[in-house]
Amino acid sequence: DIQMTQSPSSVSASVGDRVTIACRASQDIGNWLAWYQQKPGKAPNLLIYAASTLQTGVPSRFSGSGSGTDFTLTISSLQPEDFGTYYCQDANTFPLTFGGGTKVEIK
Amino acid sequence: EVKLVESGGGLVQPGGSLRLSCAASGLTSSRYWMTWVRQAPGKGLEWVANINQPGSEKYYVDSVKGRFIVSRDNAENSLYLQMNSLRGEDTAVYYCARARVGAGLDVWGQGTTVTVSS
């Protein structure tokens, strides 16, 4: 099975900061990667699919890049509402493994 | 409005069974693969199972194979998860989600809580 490893596990940043989250797959997954944001007590929300395609309605400050085994989610200018935990997911190969999550806190 | 609503969660003893349901509205779920994802208390997301549009292909995480069965009733626009031989480690919030092949899970329910405890 493909393993998905995220780093860092947590990040604390100020409003306006640029935040980058990394996701590494144990095998080449092409661009079959999705990113989600989850707020406490709520269901996850799809942000990006196909590694870099923004889901409809998601603010343009979110962007994704990468292919193969190394991927990045970037928040270009952190906003107060961006707190939560972010997960990457292998979107193509069963089991559709999620990364362990990155908790983003606002300073 | 596109909506998924889970039901059927609750408290069950180890070794017991539970059937979760997911009702879709505002979308024709028969056009999509559907997914179950769970989240244990304080933990991350774990993919549990997928089922294709006609219900002929089913995939499971290893930890539930032989115990859980995913099914769907396209006439009723509903998805199900039959959970048997439940264990403490199955305690989690269970979410259903619409799956776009290779493009992630774009519609999620609010989740239903399953607690396995004596």
Side-chain angles (χ1 to χ4, degrees):
Chain A
D1 294 352
I2 296 173
Q3 308 302 315
M4 306 297 291
T5 304
Q6 286 183 236
S7 61
S9 57
S10 66
V11 59
S12 180
S14 300
V15 172
D17 283 354
R18 183 182 184 90
V19 173
T20 300
I21 298 169
C23 177
R24 174 164 286 179
S26 61
Q27 300 176 39
D28 188 337
I29 61 170
N31 70 337
W32 301 112
L33 187 95
W35 288 99
Y36 303 87
Q37 176 195 59
Q38 185 181 33
K39 296 191 175 180
K42 300 294 187 182
N45 181 49
L46 178 65
L47 298 176
I48 287 169
Y49 61 93
S52 61
T53 303
L54 205 63
Q55 172 69 357
T56 301
V58 174
S60 59
R61 63 181 179 274
F62 291 93
S63 64
S65 64
S67 67
T69 60
D70 291 298
F71 302 88
T72 301
L73 174 70
T74 299
I75 309 173
S76 61
S77 178
L78 191 68
Q79 298 302 302
E81 61 268 30
D82 297 337
F83 73 93
T85 303
Y86 292 78
Y87 296 92
C88 62
Q89 184 197 24
D90 171 8
N92 189 59
T93 306
F94 294 112
L96 302 176
T97 307
F98 288 91
T102 297
K103 187 174 183 179
V104 174
E105 297 177 322
I106 311 295
K107 278 183 185 174
Chain B
E1 180 192 9
V2 175
K3 201 171 181 184
L4 297 173
V5 178
E6 302 94 338
S7 60
L11 174 64
V12 60
Q13 292 189 337
S17 297
L18 214 53
R19 189 194 196 208
L20 305 184
S21 299
C22 171
S25 60
L27 66 98
T28 306
S29 65
S30 62
R31 295 173 56 189
Y32 299 93
W33 283 73
M34 296 295 291
T35 297
W36 287 99
V37 173
R38 67 183 179 183
Q39 186 168 35
K43 301 298 184 181
L45 301 173
E46 180 180 36
W47 171 82
V48 174
N50 258 48
I51 185 168
N52 71 341
Q53 292 92 330
S56 59
E57 292 184 48
K58 303 175 184 183
Y59 299 89
Y60 301 92
V61 68
D62 282 350
S63 59
V64 309
K65 282 179 184 174
R67 300 189 300 122
F68 289 13
I69 300 171
V70 60
S71 63
R72 65 193 301 163
D73 183 337
N74 288 335
E76 295 292 324
N77 229 9
S78 292
L79 174 73
Y80 305 101
L81 187 67
Q82 177 67 42
M83 303 186 297
N84 302 320
S85 303
L86 282 161
R87 307 167 180 167
E89 54 265 37
D90 297 318
T91 294
V93 176
Y94 285 74
Y95 297 99
C96 65
R98 184 175 79 174
R100 301 177 310 176
V101 176
L105 308 174
D106 68 335
V107 180
W108 293 68
Q110 84 291 349
T112 188
T113 300
V114 172
T115 303
V116 183
S117 175
S118 55

